[in-house]
Each structure stands twice: as structure tokens, then as C-alpha cells.
């Protein structure tokens, strides 16, 4: 999906904080920190957060530190 394009809400897959932590291989506290700092977008459902799955993949893709070849 190109930048600026949005999926219809009925097609968005949301993940819980625990699911995001599992995908990213980090603790739930790390996910909460990313959400509260604004690095990872989320919506609040009652007292919990839901993170769009696509946002997790975009965050990981943008954070990737690769080796550049000259």
C-alpha cells in the first residue's frame, strides 16, 4: 500500500498490545511506550489499545537498519 492510501475500516486488522509485542518480539511495556510516544498509532477501545497491523509492519520497515553497499 502506497503512502497516503488508507484501507477502509472494515478491512483493517487490529492487533492487541500483546499481539504486537509478540510480532515485534518485545515486551508489552515497550509497545505501550511506542503508542504513548506517538511512534506507533493506536486506537483506544475501553481501557485497552488496538494497533492496526499495517502500522506495525510500516514501523518495522521504517526502523530497519540495513547495511548499505557502496
Amino acid at each position: 500500500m502506497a503512502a497516503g492510501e488508507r484501507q477502509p475500516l472494515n478491512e483493517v486488522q487490529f492487533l492487541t498490545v500483546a499481539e504486537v509485542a509478540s510480532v515485534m518480539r518485545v515486551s508489552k511495556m515497550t509497545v505501550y511506550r511506542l503508542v504513548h510516544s506517538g511512534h506507533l498509532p493506536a486506537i483506544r477501545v475501553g481501557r485497552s489499545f488496538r494497533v492496526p497491523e499495517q502500522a506495525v509492519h510500516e514501523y518495522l520497515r521504517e526502523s530497519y537498519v540495513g547495511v548499505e553497499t557502496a
Side-chain angles (χ1 to χ4, degrees), residues 25-66:
R25 304 282 200 273
V26 297
S27 71
K28 291 191 298 184
M29 185 55 67
T30 299
V31 177
Y32 282 118
R33 287 185 188 121
L34 290 170
V35 168
H36 287 291
S37 69
H39 289 96
L40 195 59
I43 61 168
R44 191 162 196 138
V45 179
R47 293 180 56 190
S48 61
F49 290 97
R50 296 293 185 269
V51 180
E53 184 177 25
Q54 189 63 34
V56 174
H57 295 296
E58 287 175 18
Y59 176 82
L60 292 172
R61 189 171 23 262
E62 291 171 5
S63 299
Y64 186 79
V65 177

